[in-house]
Amino acid sequence: MRIFSAVAMFSLLLFLAGCRQDMHDQPKYKPLGESRFFADGRDARPIPPGTIARDELNDNDSFHTGAANGEFLDAIPLKVDLNLLHRGQERFNIFCSPCHGRTGDGNGMVAQRGVKIPADFHTDRLRSVPPGYIYQVIKNGYGAMGDYGDQIPVNDRWAIVAYVKALQLSRDATLNDVPTARRAQLSGGNQPPLLGAPR
Amino acid sequence: MPQYFSRSANSFARFTILGAVCVLVAVCWLGYLIVRSPYEMMQNVPREQPVPFSHEHHVGGLGIDCRYCHTTVEKSSFANIPATKICMNCHSQMWATSPMLEPVRESYRTGKSIEWTRVNDLPEFVYFDHSIHVNHGVGCATCHGRVDKMPLTWQAAPLTMEWCLNCHRHPERYVRPRDQVFSMDYTPPPNQIALGKRLVSEYHIQSLTSCSTCHR
């Protein structure tokens, strides 16, 4: 009987040996994790120069630089449709609106809290800049604004350009710019009237 | 020979056998509860970080979208911890001399990483993918809680397998329209189940509960 209980106790103790976290914490690399192998302690390695990510072939053409033959592109090199504008609106609100504001007049929340107030998009100077100029400002930065090339991929940059152009148009539009079929909405048809619109 | 034990000792002996079994079960049950307790899961415990970064201020106060910093969340398994450069987009100008932000500036000067403490840490035999969840109507706040109200970041969900399966078995209880995924203050409508069932079929959400969905 003694021997039996001793064996039972010992086998119970064996269960404790299972209480380890080896499966939880495996010796493998996870994104932006720690490495004891590399000198800088990072498992994420710097990208070797010249590396091209899939779908991001940057062969230095005008689509990637926003310029051709030393001139900024005068047109957006993508099909501009409602999908692109919606994408541009979404990306603008994520990346640009903190400083530029949702309407582009430069009074975003972060601008109000102390970064250099960005330029108002609705000035003659900025209304007349070509799309390629806006593109390269997003890609390379401008003045106090850092570059957004790492945060915003190429297609999204052009989508934002399209949306910025639409924002500028919207400020300057007259009733004649609105398709006849849509005009009813402006004077309180299917949707609530716009602020300041005649009732 | 006199009797040492009264007759009731028989019942007492039987009860002690029963009692021993009960105690054993209770001890195991208690251990089970402790292992899965919020304390053991470190749920709701704000973690100390090299810089006391406040989501409450950046998300709730300034209204910055999750994706401004967590840039890869829509297309990668990993939501991305922002590069120091992203901090410096604003903090090269704002609070640019604040001692609290010295680790950020030091990282920017030297190229050394800021060593953040991981808050939501899944076991490494679980393969979780942010992009598939975000693109199929699972809101950030559904798992991460109201991050816009966290002065220091904590883990809002228990992250037990039971918790994962609860949604994987009944996705219609939790999915929301895609355009509300990144909204912090979205509240499910009273007809959530009806809406959820519609979204589940519209987004082709499968109720994936086989082991190999997450354990590979």
Side-chain angles (χ1 to χ4, degrees):
Chain A
M1 193 59 198
R2 266 248 171 102
I3 290 172
F4 174 74
S5 40
V7 169
M9 286 304 282
F10 181 72
S11 36
L12 274 176
L13 277 177
L14 278 181
F15 277 105
L16 282 179
C19 292
R20 288 173 25 179
Q21 296 286 304
D22 286 0
M23 294 280 281
H24 265 256
D25 304 311
Q26 298 168 10
K28 69 179 180 187
Y29 290 156
K30 294 181 92 177
L32 302 188
E34 186 190 3
S35 162
R36 294 202 199 115
F37 179 77
F38 295 108
D40 62 3
R42 294 188 277 214
D43 66 12
R45 305 313 305 149
I47 300 167
T51 306
I52 298 165
R54 214 165 72 175
D55 295 335
E56 282 177 23
L57 173 63
N58 182 350
D59 44 6
N60 213 23
D61 60 356
S62 53
F63 186 64
H64 289 90
T65 59
N69 308 322
E71 300 257 322
F72 290 120
L73 287 197
D74 210 21
I76 293 161
L78 283 173
K79 184 165 169 269
V80 179
D81 55 11
L82 198 57
N83 278 341
L84 189 78
L85 286 176
H86 277 151
R87 178 77 184 173
Q89 179 180 42
E90 186 189 68
R91 298 293 124 173
F92 180 89
N93 288 341
I94 296 170
F95 293 108
C96 316
S97 73
C99 292
H100 288 283
R102 294 223 160 188
T103 57
D105 49 12
N107 69 348
M109 267 311 251
V110 174
Q112 289 176 34
R113 298 293 179 90
V115 300
K116 191 166 176 289
I117 306 273
D120 183 355
F121 290 167
H122 310 288
T123 59
D124 284 338
R125 180 179 79 84
L126 287 180
R127 266 196 291 261
S128 62
V129 294
Y133 173 83
I134 305 174
Y135 174 90
Q136 66 84 30
V137 169
I138 298 173
K139 184 175 178 239
N140 304 322
Y142 179 87
M145 169 184 152
D147 65 278
Y148 278 72
D150 287 339
Q151 271 158 288
I152 311 176
V154 183
N155 279 31
D156 284 347
R157 289 176 216 157
W158 285 116
I160 292 173
V161 172
Y163 183 67
V164 168
K165 281 287 164 197
L167 272 182
Q168 290 176 330
L169 272 179
S170 72
R171 276 291 174 94
D172 218 15
T174 64
L175 197 59
N176 291 332
D177 295 322
V178 182
T180 334
R182 293 278 180 133
R183 281 182 201 169
Q185 289 178 7
L186 293 177
S187 49
N190 296 329
Q191 288 176 4
L194 299 173
L195 274 183
R199 278 167 193 263
Chain B
M1 190 174 159
Q3 288 215 338
Y4 283 110
F5 297 104
S6 66
R7 288 175 73 84
S8 61
N10 285 338
S11 328
F12 181 75
R14 273 187 219 115
F15 274 119
T16 50
I17 292 171
L18 186 72
V21 172
C22 285
V23 165
L24 198 68
V25 169
V27 165
C28 291
W29 179 245
L30 193 71
Y32 176 77
L33 285 184
I34 290 173
V35 163
R36 296 158 53 87
S37 64
Y39 173 78
E40 190 60 29
M41 293 285 163
M42 284 184 83
Q43 197 182 344
N44 305 328
V45 183
R47 303 299 152 82
E48 224 171 278
Q49 301 286 2
V51 181
F53 177 84
S54 166
H55 278 95
E56 185 182 44
H57 169 66
H58 290 84
V59 182
L62 301 173
I64 297 174
D65 193 282
C66 310
R67 292 164 285 183
Y68 185 92
C69 302
H70 302 291
T71 46
T72 59
V73 71
E74 292 169 296
K75 51 194 174 190
S76 158
S77 63
F78 183 58
N80 189 34
I81 301 301
T84 305
K85 155 77 172 54
I86 294 183
C87 308
M88 293 302 275
N89 279 347
C90 298
H91 288 295
S92 58
Q93 301 174 57
M94 289 172 99
W95 300 104
T97 53
S98 158
M100 219 158 59
L101 291 177
E102 180 51 28
V104 178
R105 291 191 296 272
E106 190 200 338
S107 162
Y108 196 61
R109 276 197 308 269
T110 60
K112 243 183 127 263
S113 300
I114 304 171
E115 289 177 34
W116 300 102
T117 302
R118 202 181 172 96
V119 176
N120 289 273
D121 195 11
L122 286 177
E124 288 174 11
F125 46 79
V126 178
Y127 291 82
F128 175 81
D129 191 308
H130 273 95
S131 66
I132 191 87
H133 289 86
V134 163
N135 290 320
H136 284 75
V138 181
C140 304
T142 304
C143 304
H144 291 292
R146 288 296 297 270
V147 174
D148 62 328
K149 295 190 171 166
M150 296 183 185
L152 284 175
T153 315
W154 60 81
Q155 170 192 325
L159 300 186
T160 54
M161 188 167 110
E162 180 188 10
W163 172 82
C164 296
L165 280 172
N166 187 30
C167 187
H168 272 236
R169 287 189 182 121
H170 310 285
E172 71 280 357
R173 293 183 192 165
Y174 301 98
V175 289
R176 48 172 91 180
R178 274 196 188 117
D179 59 356
Q180 296 296 328
V181 164
F182 296 92
S183 148
M184 276 291 136
D185 53 4
Y186 173 83
T187 36
N191 65 340
Q192 169 63 34
I193 298 298
L195 172 78
K197 283 188 172 150
R198 188 169 66 73
L199 293 177
V200 161
S201 76
E202 198 177 306
Y203 297 164
H204 306 294
I205 296 172
Q206 307 168 51
S207 175
L208 294 174
T209 51
S210 77
C211 308
S212 62
T213 303
C214 311
H215 306 294
R216 291 177 257 139

